[in-house]
Amino acid sequence: MFRSICPVSSSVFKAEPNLRFLDGISIVGVKQIECVTQAVEETLKGNCVRFLSRRKQNSNLLLPKIRKNKFVEILAISSGCLNHCTYCKTKSARGNLVSYPLDSLLERARNAFADGCKELWLTSEDLGAWGRDIDMVLPDLLNALVEIIPEGCMLRLGMTNPPYILDFLEEISEILNHPRVYSFLHIPVQSASDAVLSDMKREYTCTDFCRVVDYMIQNVPNIYIATDFICAYPTETESDFEESMALVRKYRFPSLFINQFYPRIGTPAANLKKIDTIEARRRTAEMSSLFRSYSRYNKERIGEKHRVLVCELATDQQHYVGHNKHYEHFLIPSKKCLLGKWVQVRITDVSKFYMKAVLIGGDINAWLSNDSMAIISVLAHIQLCILLLRFAVPDNFCYYYYSFSLI
């Protein structure tokens, strides 16, 4: 009998391995990546195997890694979480919080920089919770990391929920102001209604969230804040939704991840009566429309000069993607390879999600406009004509012609 392999990277399959459509399929859990080879070999023999048990702490840091982008190291600092959100399956799939040891994380970071990485992205189910199970706190890790970041490299923090950084606002803001740390923070709010947040078991209020955002705006110049919203959670009323809309209007978040509620099997929220689909879509569309109505990147910024780090090629294969200290998004045309380099650029155009910019002092053919190149071409032809005339006509005539051509 032919067997199939399903390497599971989703919390849904890990939490519900007995779903009927998984019958006869070999499954590798999100914490058992090292078992992939064994799963393939057993399945090819006709066996159905499942590797879903918990593995020892820190084992994923010991595994070899092939980076999708050789200039970016994505470093998971923990697994699992402390939350019990009613709509999420992360807890059942990944279990309680397991923070990876400080020394192991520092070693992984050093190795990444030694390999030529220019950016270090910290990630986890909840960055702010790191260390609470090993008698440490997130600032301990961040302060240790900034000490080993080489000149010319940058650190980016991942997602953190409000409750776990409320006690460390000053420390986090100091880290975000460090010259080798992007002034970027992803803080999911999910709803601006305290009633909905309580139903979701999010363990914070909208006031808590605003306290974090206000402090960061006041203490981290030009900080880039991203957040998440869930539209049409089963207990969300029209008034609750309007509170969320008001929060978006207040802060005009440059990055907004909008999700329409979807019930996940086995979660408490899946047992609640769903909001009418048409109404759910309306709310999602309305918030999306509000998000599209404003932009961090306005026309007044054209002409600004910035220093940006380039670590990616855009999907159009025509532009490089770079970010400045404030993690603003730049698209830069260039015939030279800019990957892994810091460059000086000038903004030439803006859109909702990025700013187009040209190199300053770089490859002139890469950043001059077509009109500029045409003008240079015409001037070159005029100069050539002048040189030819100097040999073909008397000196006096050439002098007057040359003077006239410069008027």
Side-chain angles (χ1 to χ4, degrees):
M1 177 180 177
F2 178 76
R3 298 286 185 181
S4 298
I5 302 174
C6 179
V8 176
S9 58
S10 167
S11 57
V12 177
F13 295 159
K14 177 67 182 293
E16 297 287 337
N18 296 319
L19 294 173
R20 291 183 61 184
F21 70 87
L22 293 177
D23 289 347
I25 295 178
S26 292
I27 302 176
V28 180
V30 292
K31 291 189 174 185
Q32 291 75 33
I33 301 301
E34 69 273 19
C35 299
V36 168
T37 301
Q38 185 178 353
V40 172
E41 292 174 346
E42 290 298 323
T43 303
L44 291 176
K45 295 176 183 177
N47 300 320
C48 179
V49 296
R50 298 192 171 188
F51 297 97
L52 301 173
S53 61
R54 307 292 182 195
R55 70 180 182 201
K56 63 181 181 179
Q57 176 181 344
N58 194 34
S59 61
N60 80 323
L61 294 179
L62 305 176
L63 295 173
K65 174 182 287 189
I66 299 177
R67 300 182 182 92
K68 181 179 180 181
N69 184 335
K70 70 176 184 178
F71 296 105
V72 178
E73 167 72 1
I74 301 176
L75 179 61
I77 66 171
S78 64
S79 178
C81 69
L82 295 174
N83 305 316
H84 298 85
C85 301
T86 59
Y87 55 84
C88 182
K89 301 203 74 165
T90 297
K91 188 78 168 186
S92 58
R94 296 181 179 270
N96 291 321
L97 174 70
V98 176
S99 300
Y100 301 141
L102 176 61
D103 290 344
S104 298
L105 293 171
L106 294 178
E107 180 182 1
R108 190 82 187 204
R110 289 191 188 95
N111 292 338
F113 291 128
D115 288 344
C117 289
K118 295 295 183 179
E119 291 184 345
L120 177 64
W121 296 2
L122 301 187
T123 183
S124 74
E125 280 72 43
D126 190 341
L127 205 75
W130 181 88
R132 290 176 177 251
D133 57 328
I134 55 175
D135 296 324
M136 300 188 78
V137 290
L138 181 62
D140 296 330
L141 171 61
L142 299 181
N143 285 320
L145 281 172
V146 295
E147 293 296 323
I148 66 169
I149 301 174
E151 187 68 33
C153 298
M154 297 295 288
L155 171 68
R156 194 192 80 170
L157 307 191
M159 184 191 74
T160 178
N161 285 307
Y164 304 118
I165 61 171
L166 276 170
D167 294 333
F168 306 106
L169 294 180
E170 182 178 353
E171 293 88 342
I172 298 297
S173 66
E174 289 177 358
I175 291 293
L176 294 175
N177 280 318
H178 191 282
R180 291 192 289 277
V181 179
Y182 285 121
S183 301
F184 168 88
L185 201 57
H186 181 189
I187 321 168
V189 63
Q190 306 301 3
S191 174
S193 165
D194 287 346
V196 174
L197 290 173
S198 177
D199 292 339
M200 291 178 172
K201 296 191 182 302
R202 289 292 288 170
E203 300 182 0
Y204 59 86
T205 65
C206 185
T207 300
D208 293 331
F209 173 81
C210 291
R211 181 184 164 199
V212 174
V213 174
D214 290 340
Y215 188 92
M216 293 302 167
I217 290 175
Q218 293 168 10
N219 293 277
V220 184
N222 208 25
I223 187 173
Y224 192 109
I225 295 179
T227 193
D228 303 17
F229 279 91
I230 294 177
C231 291
Y233 184 80
T235 63
E236 180 186 73
T237 65
E238 181 64 29
S239 176
D240 295 328
F241 174 68
E242 286 303 323
E243 289 185 60
S244 293
M245 292 287 285
L247 192 68
V248 176
R249 294 188 190 97
K250 177 181 179 180
Y251 290 113
R252 296 166 64 92
F253 302 102
S255 285
L256 191 60
F257 302 96
I258 304 169
N259 302 287
Q260 183 175 312
F261 172 77
Y262 178 82
R264 291 194 165 189
I265 298 174
T267 61
N271 298 321
L272 301 175
K273 182 180 179 181
K274 288 180 59 180
I275 290 176
D276 177 73
T277 300
I278 294 177
E279 173 62 15
R281 289 176 179 172
R282 182 194 69 81
R283 294 181 190 180
T284 306
E286 188 173 338
M287 182 173 286
S288 298
S289 178
L290 173 59
F291 175 57
R292 291 192 298 269
S293 70
Y294 64 83
S295 177
R296 178 184 177 104
Y297 310 135
N298 53 57
K299 292 290 185 180
E300 288 72 21
R301 302 198 59 178
I302 293 177
E304 288 182 2
K305 298 177 181 179
H306 291 266
R307 181 171 179 261
V308 303
L309 175 59
V310 179
C311 287
E312 185 181 354
L313 187 63
T315 54
D316 66 2
Q317 302 296 304
Q318 302 297 316
H319 296 81
Y320 287 95
V321 180
H323 297 92
N324 60 5
K325 169 70 169 72
H326 311 294
Y327 209 67
E328 294 177 313
H329 196 91
F330 292 81
L331 292 185
I332 310 159
S334 178
K335 293 181 180 178
K336 292 182 178 179
C337 180
L338 303 179
L339 292 175
K341 299 178 181 178
W342 284 93
V343 294
Q344 293 283 347
V345 300
R346 185 181 71 253
I347 298 172
T348 59
D349 197 8
V350 296
S351 71
K352 170 64 178 176
F353 298 104
Y354 58 82
M355 295 179 284
K356 286 189 175 181
V358 294
L359 294 174
I360 298 175
D363 180 2
I364 190 169
N365 293 316
W367 58 263
L368 283 176
S369 66
N370 291 335
D371 290 342
S372 298
M373 292 299 293
I375 292 172
I376 290 176
S377 178
V378 171
L379 291 176
H381 280 85
I382 292 175
Q383 187 69 20
L384 178 61
C385 290
I386 292 171
L387 291 174
L388 292 174
L389 284 170
R390 289 184 64 87
F391 294 99
V393 300
D395 289 343
N396 289 342
F397 178 84
C398 188
Y399 172 79
Y400 289 121
Y401 181 89
Y402 186 76
S403 299
F404 175 77
S405 69
L406 296 178
I407 295 176

